[in-house]
Amino acid sequence: VLGNLITEPERAVGKVTSAAIAKGSLIDQKSLLSATKSGREFSIGIDASHGTVASLNSGDRVDVLASFDKGSADARTVVAVSGARVLAVQKSEGVFGSSSNALQNVTLDVSPEDSVFLAFAVRNADIDIVRSTGGKASKKTAVSSQPEALEDE
């Protein structure tokens, strides 16, 4: 490796890239990621106010929280995915360089089962991403504006 550039093609075998690479381009080692082990790569677009995205790096573990029916009597927050490995984080500047409304894209390594619920959550809930520092949370972990509504789950 010359600096961070790949000089031996075999070092890239079994890797995926975080961005497109033009034919004949030099490849930076930092742009290569290990292929997903769980079977699904899932990208989530999220603004900076919804989690610790700005400080995430490839290899970190995160939980994805989904808050449904915000502002209603049926409001609840559930763990959509627990302990997902971050594969890549793409950060963009907000309007006029403001970081308060900057959009982030986080690509996660998730199981096929988790990818289905995560797809539903991304389309129907407010999403927050939090760094996971330990034990796995149960999918049954939930918070509701009506706790008795969770008793049947």
Side-chain angles (χ1 to χ4, degrees):
V1 178
L2 179 62
N4 284 331
L5 298 178
I6 299 290
T7 57
E8 301 165 5
E10 57 274 5
R11 296 190 74 132
V13 173
K15 304 281 186 176
V16 295
T17 62
S18 57
I21 299 173
K23 183 177 180 178
S25 294
L26 298 173
I27 300 174
D28 186 327
Q29 184 173 330
K30 292 179 183 177
S31 69
L32 296 178
L33 307 168
S34 296
T36 180
K37 294 178 182 172
S38 297
R40 300 291 185 270
E41 291 183 20
F42 198 104
S43 292
I44 302 172
I46 192 165
D47 69 64
S49 67
H50 287 275
T52 59
V53 180
S55 64
L56 290 177
N57 296 299
S58 295
D60 286 347
R61 295 281 178 175
V62 296
D63 295 338
V64 180
L65 307 179
S67 297
F68 294 92
D69 301 317
K70 181 179 169 184
S72 78
D74 296 325
R76 67 176 61 196
T77 298
V78 298
V79 178
V81 175
S82 177
R85 183 170 57 107
V86 175
L87 296 175
V89 179
Q90 294 175 324
K91 302 169 187 176
S92 66
E93 296 298 322
V95 177
F96 304 113
S98 168
S99 62
S100 64
N101 59 355
L103 296 176
Q104 318 294 322
N105 190 54
V106 180
T107 302
L108 304 174
D109 176 12
V110 299
S111 71
E113 297 80 18
D114 283 345
S115 69
V116 174
F117 185 67
L118 189 53
F120 178 81
V122 165
R123 285 164 181 70
N124 294 286
D126 289 331
I127 301 296
D128 290 283
I129 297 178
V130 295
R131 181 175 282 109
S132 176
T133 58
K136 217 173 171 171
S138 165
K139 281 209 185 333
K140 295 289 184 186
T141 301
V143 177
S144 173
S145 60
Q146 297 180 338
E148 64 278 3
L150 298 174
E151 291 175 7
D152 295 332
E153 294 185 8

